[in-house]
mmCIF file of all heavy atoms in Angstrom:
data_model
loop_
_atom_site.group_PDB
_atom_site.id
_atom_site.type_symbol
_atom_site.label_atom_id
_atom_site.label_comp_id
_atom_site.label_asym_id
_atom_site.label_seq_id
_atom_site.Cartn_x
_atom_site.Cartn_y
_atom_site.Cartn_z
ATOM 1 N N PHE X 13 2.556 -4.664 -13.615
ATOM 2 C CA PHE X 13 1.606 -4.791 -12.414
ATOM 3 C C PHE X 13 1.902 -3.670 -11.429
ATOM 4 O O PHE X 13 1.074 -2.976 -10.937
ATOM 5 C CB PHE X 13 1.793 -6.188 -11.778
ATOM 6 C CG PHE X 13 0.892 -6.486 -10.625
ATOM 7 C CD1 PHE X 13 -0.491 -6.289 -10.773
ATOM 8 C CD2 PHE X 13 1.392 -7.114 -9.522
ATOM 9 C CE1 PHE X 13 -1.336 -6.549 -9.677
ATOM 10 C CE2 PHE X 13 0.544 -7.430 -8.468
ATOM 11 C CZ PHE X 13 -0.841 -7.117 -8.493
ATOM 12 N N PHE X 14 3.214 -3.460 -11.179
ATOM 13 C CA PHE X 14 3.645 -2.394 -10.273
ATOM 14 C C PHE X 14 3.148 -0.989 -10.799
ATOM 15 O O PHE X 14 2.605 -0.223 -10.082
ATOM 16 C CB PHE X 14 5.195 -2.419 -10.240
ATOM 17 C CG PHE X 14 5.776 -1.244 -9.510
ATOM 18 C CD1 PHE X 14 5.915 -1.204 -8.149
ATOM 19 C CD2 PHE X 14 6.265 -0.153 -10.277
ATOM 20 C CE1 PHE X 14 6.484 -0.096 -7.483
ATOM 21 C CE2 PHE X 14 6.807 0.920 -9.629
ATOM 22 C CZ PHE X 14 6.942 0.959 -8.301
ATOM 23 N N ALA X 15 3.420 -0.709 -12.095
ATOM 24 C CA ALA X 15 3.002 0.556 -12.682
ATOM 25 C C ALA X 15 1.539 0.723 -12.625
ATOM 26 O O ALA X 15 1.017 1.839 -12.387
ATOM 27 C CB ALA X 15 3.561 0.724 -14.126
ATOM 28 N N LEU X 16 0.800 -0.281 -12.914
ATOM 29 C CA LEU X 16 -0.660 -0.250 -12.876
ATOM 30 C C LEU X 16 -1.167 0.108 -11.494
ATOM 31 O O LEU X 16 -2.063 0.982 -11.290
ATOM 32 C CB LEU X 16 -1.294 -1.589 -13.353
ATOM 33 C CG LEU X 16 -2.792 -1.693 -13.294
ATOM 34 C CD1 LEU X 16 -3.407 -0.779 -14.375
ATOM 35 C CD2 LEU X 16 -3.274 -3.169 -13.581
ATOM 36 N N LEU X 17 -0.656 -0.579 -10.427
ATOM 37 C CA LEU X 17 -1.067 -0.347 -9.103
ATOM 38 C C LEU X 17 -0.719 1.132 -8.653
ATOM 39 O O LEU X 17 -1.537 1.780 -8.030
ATOM 40 C CB LEU X 17 -0.460 -1.342 -8.115
ATOM 41 C CG LEU X 17 -0.938 -2.772 -8.246
ATOM 42 C CD1 LEU X 17 -0.090 -3.717 -7.392
ATOM 43 C CD2 LEU X 17 -2.398 -2.864 -7.918
ATOM 44 N N VAL X 18 0.484 1.566 -8.957
ATOM 45 C CA VAL X 18 0.872 2.973 -8.624
ATOM 46 C C VAL X 18 -0.032 3.900 -9.345
ATOM 47 O O VAL X 18 -0.485 4.930 -8.781
ATOM 48 C CB VAL X 18 2.390 3.221 -8.940
ATOM 49 C CG1 VAL X 18 2.738 4.673 -8.766
ATOM 50 C CG2 VAL X 18 3.284 2.401 -8.025
ATOM 51 N N GLY X 19 -0.307 3.624 -10.627
ATOM 52 C CA GLY X 19 -1.191 4.459 -11.425
ATOM 53 C C GLY X 19 -2.603 4.589 -10.880
ATOM 54 O O GLY X 19 -3.227 5.637 -10.751
ATOM 55 N N ILE X 20 -3.153 3.452 -10.373
ATOM 56 C CA ILE X 20 -4.509 3.447 -9.750
ATOM 57 C C ILE X 20 -4.442 4.233 -8.456
ATOM 58 O O ILE X 20 -5.351 5.091 -8.232
ATOM 59 C CB ILE X 20 -4.953 2.009 -9.485
ATOM 60 C CG1 ILE X 20 -5.226 1.261 -10.800
ATOM 61 C CG2 ILE X 20 -6.204 1.997 -8.506
ATOM 62 C CD1 ILE X 20 -5.469 -0.261 -10.542
ATOM 63 N N ASP X 21 -3.416 4.142 -7.708
ATOM 64 C CA ASP X 21 -3.248 4.891 -6.455
ATOM 65 C C ASP X 21 -3.227 6.350 -6.770
ATOM 66 O O ASP X 21 -3.938 7.143 -6.176
ATOM 67 C CB ASP X 21 -2.001 4.441 -5.695
ATOM 68 C CG ASP X 21 -1.743 5.280 -4.451
ATOM 69 O OD1 ASP X 21 -2.588 5.309 -3.595
ATOM 70 O OD2 ASP X 21 -0.721 6.006 -4.476
ATOM 71 N N GLN X 22 -2.373 6.740 -7.702
ATOM 72 C CA GLN X 22 -2.251 8.199 -7.987
ATOM 73 C C GLN X 22 -3.432 8.797 -8.676
ATOM 74 O O GLN X 22 -3.813 9.924 -8.382
ATOM 75 C CB GLN X 22 -1.003 8.404 -8.875
ATOM 76 C CG GLN X 22 0.316 8.179 -8.120
ATOM 77 C CD GLN X 22 0.495 9.058 -6.935
ATOM 78 O OE1 GLN X 22 0.476 10.260 -7.019
ATOM 79 N NE2 GLN X 22 0.648 8.440 -5.761
ATOM 80 N N ALA X 23 -4.105 7.995 -9.469
ATOM 81 C CA ALA X 23 -5.343 8.487 -10.045
ATOM 82 C C ALA X 23 -6.418 8.734 -9.062
ATOM 83 O O ALA X 23 -7.202 9.681 -9.025
ATOM 84 C CB ALA X 23 -5.864 7.434 -11.136
ATOM 85 N N SER X 24 -6.516 7.734 -8.048
ATOM 86 C CA SER X 24 -7.535 7.905 -6.958
ATOM 87 C C SER X 24 -7.244 9.130 -6.121
ATOM 88 O O SER X 24 -8.151 9.843 -5.643
ATOM 89 C CB SER X 24 -7.647 6.616 -6.111
ATOM 90 O OG SER X 24 -6.495 6.496 -5.350
ATOM 91 N N LYS X 25 -5.951 9.407 -5.936
ATOM 92 C CA LYS X 25 -5.565 10.547 -5.091
ATOM 93 C C LYS X 25 -5.775 11.870 -5.868
ATOM 94 O O LYS X 25 -6.208 12.878 -5.309
ATOM 95 C CB LYS X 25 -4.105 10.414 -4.684
ATOM 96 C CG LYS X 25 -3.961 9.311 -3.639
ATOM 97 C CD LYS X 25 -2.458 9.099 -3.312
ATOM 98 C CE LYS X 25 -2.298 8.003 -2.308
ATOM 99 N NZ LYS X 25 -0.875 7.634 -2.046
ATOM 100 N N TYR X 26 -5.602 11.815 -7.187
ATOM 101 C CA TYR X 26 -5.784 12.918 -8.013
ATOM 102 C C TYR X 26 -7.331 13.299 -7.938
ATOM 103 O O TYR X 26 -7.774 14.479 -7.754
ATOM 104 C CB TYR X 26 -5.413 12.765 -9.468
ATOM 105 C CG TYR X 26 -5.733 13.895 -10.394
ATOM 106 C CD1 TYR X 26 -4.956 15.070 -10.404
ATOM 107 C CD2 TYR X 26 -6.815 13.740 -11.233
ATOM 108 C CE1 TYR X 26 -5.356 16.069 -11.272
ATOM 109 C CE2 TYR X 26 -7.211 14.807 -12.023
ATOM 110 C CZ TYR X 26 -6.464 15.987 -12.093
ATOM 111 O OH TYR X 26 -6.851 16.968 -12.941
#
Side-chain angles (χ1 to χ4, degrees):
F13 186 46
F14 171 84
L16 178 67
L17 293 172
V18 172
I20 290 169
D21 174 64
Q22 290 301 301
S24 69
K25 291 172 179 175
Y26 174 79

